[in-house]
Amino acid sequence: MAPKDEEEKAVKIAVSTEKDKPKDGPNKNKDAKDDDLVLATATLSEEDQELMERLETCVSTLINKDSEEAVTIPLRLKALDVIVTELRSATSSMTSVPKPLKFLRPHFVVLKELHISLVGNSSVESEKDLLSLRARLADVLSVLAMTMGNQEQRESLKFKLAAMKDHEILKKGGVEAVSYDNLGSWGHEYVRSLAGEIGQEYNARVIDGADPDGEEPFADLICMVDVIVPFHISHNAEAEAVDLLIEVQRLNKLQHLDSIDDENYSRICLYLIKTADYMSDPDDLAEMLDISYHLFIRQKQFFDALRVALRSGKEDVIPELFAQCEDSMMKKQMCLLLGRHRVNFELEDDDDADELNELIGNAHLSEQFLKLAQDLDVMEIKTPEDIYKSHLAETGGFS
């Protein structure tokens, strides 16, 4: 038996019983979510708390659950404007999930239900303010669906297409509506997400039987492509612009873009030429090389255009390239390229025809290599000591 002193020092151990265990029930998950929400709210800063309350107030005003007469359509539009302003300012640079998107996540389903009710209301199109509300709400839902929507159903694109239709109706009615070319105002990540869903939707329509060469089945998608591609090019995302045009099989649109200039044409053409190596269809390969050829011509880069023409096997365009080129040094480069490829071509109508024809015939090739070797100082055999200058080092030379 333990001494009395040791009994007093003993530690009591609490043993849980069935009564102490939390009971499982239908409200268990709900209670857990409520606890997480309370904890998250408690950890917010004063500024974030104010933002969350402001967004919640705008959502409640927009929904108007109790159908209050004081909450008019213009007032609901102003509440929607506040949400739009917060989203645009937050999604312009997305290094992380913006706070307005986080705070609006619990209201996404409610906002979707509001839009569905407006779509089902036949009197909306006759009321311009209500139609404007539906169009701008669809724009907001499209941005929210980027992170909250069902990716398989392409909800972000679906809401944007619905907004485009409503904006078009407003425009025909003489109302100054927000055009669908404001995609860039929502940020680069939104545009990228939308471009991905456009490619998926295009493929889905083709599988359903739409003609890929037809314009009418894809008119709504092509309208958005015409906005997204210049946006990508102007924001140094040329590869994404080309990828989108490849997805929707409208690569020839590159030839008519005003946003392609002397600063970005080289990246676009380089990406086209490199991507052409992975094209399984010979027609797609020929199209990509032909577009890069015409882009080089537009920028007066005749040497690069000649490279593409020789790769495509279009030797019949060589006289045309020399006729358009006015730079004598570039002509000499083109002649050296023709000589390298052993192309049988002779210039006639040129002031320097004799010199250029000699370059094409590789008449001075050996002389040029010797001149290059002389410039590089490699005419004589060198030892390691000559190369590394080891005689200048304190450790001595090679043994």
Side-chain angles (χ1 to χ4, degrees), residues 261-277:
D261 52 23
D262 56 348
E263 295 182 356
N264 53 30
Y265 80 92
S266 58
R267 292 192 294 270
I268 295 174
C269 293
L270 179 61
Y271 188 76
L272 284 171
I273 294 171
K274 294 298 183 182
T275 308
D277 295 332

Side-chain angles (χ1 to χ4, degrees), residues 337-377:
L337 180 62
L338 292 176
R340 179 67 175 172
H341 282 264
R342 302 290 194 271
V343 176
N344 186 15
F345 177 74
E346 185 176 356
L347 282 169
E348 297 179 356
D349 301 331
D350 196 287
D351 297 336
D352 302 326
D354 294 337
E355 181 182 1
L356 295 177
N357 287 327
E358 287 181 355
L359 292 175
I360 296 175
N362 291 325
H364 304 289
L365 188 61
S366 178
E367 180 182 338
Q368 290 165 352
F369 272 115
L370 291 174
K371 181 65 171 65
L372 175 62
Q374 184 178 358
D375 292 341
L376 296 176
D377 193 18

Side-chain angles (χ1 to χ4, degrees), residues 190-201:
Y190 172 69
V191 177
R192 289 182 60 189
S193 174
L194 210 56
E197 293 191 4
I198 289 175
Q200 296 174 8
E201 179 66 21

Side-chain angles (χ1 to χ4, degrees), residues 69-213:
E69 295 182 359
V71 182
T72 60
I73 299 298
L75 185 60
R76 296 169 73 183
L77 282 171
K78 289 183 179 179
L80 188 58
D81 283 340
V82 174
I83 297 176
V84 169
T85 303
E86 294 294 344
L87 283 174
R88 282 182 175 173
S89 61
T91 56
S92 59
S93 177
M94 289 183 62
T95 54
S96 60
V97 179
K99 291 176 182 178
L101 284 179
K102 292 180 181 179
F103 298 151
L104 290 171
R105 178 183 291 273
H107 310 288
F108 179 62
V109 176
V110 181
L111 292 174
K112 281 176 60 177
E113 293 174 352
L114 174 61
H115 183 264
I116 292 173
S117 65
L118 292 174
V119 171
N121 189 350
S122 58
S123 63
V124 170
E125 295 187 5
S126 60
E127 299 181 21
K128 295 181 180 179
D129 287 343
L130 203 57
L131 182 59
S132 178
L133 177 67
R134 188 175 74 179
R136 294 161 72 179
L137 176 61
D139 281 332
V140 172
L141 286 171
S142 178
V143 178
L144 297 179
M146 175 177 59
T147 57
M148 308 173 196
N150 190 335
Q151 300 298 328
E152 296 180 357
Q153 296 180 2
R154 296 181 288 279
E155 286 188 323
S156 182
L157 177 62
K158 181 183 71 175
F159 285 121
K160 190 60 187 177
L161 292 175
M164 285 174 53
K165 293 179 181 178
D166 291 340
H167 286 312
E168 193 65 28
I169 296 173
L170 288 169
K171 193 173 182 180
K172 291 179 180 178
V175 178
E176 185 179 353
V178 180
S179 178
Y180 52 80
D181 61 357
N182 67 338
L183 297 176
S185 62
W186 297 103
H188 186 65
E189 288 298 327
Y190 172 69
V191 177
R192 289 182 60 189
S193 174
L194 210 56
E197 293 191 4
I198 289 175
Q200 296 174 8
E201 179 66 21
Y202 179 87
N203 293 330
R205 294 185 185 183
V206 171
I207 293 174
D208 291 339
D211 182 13
D213 297 329

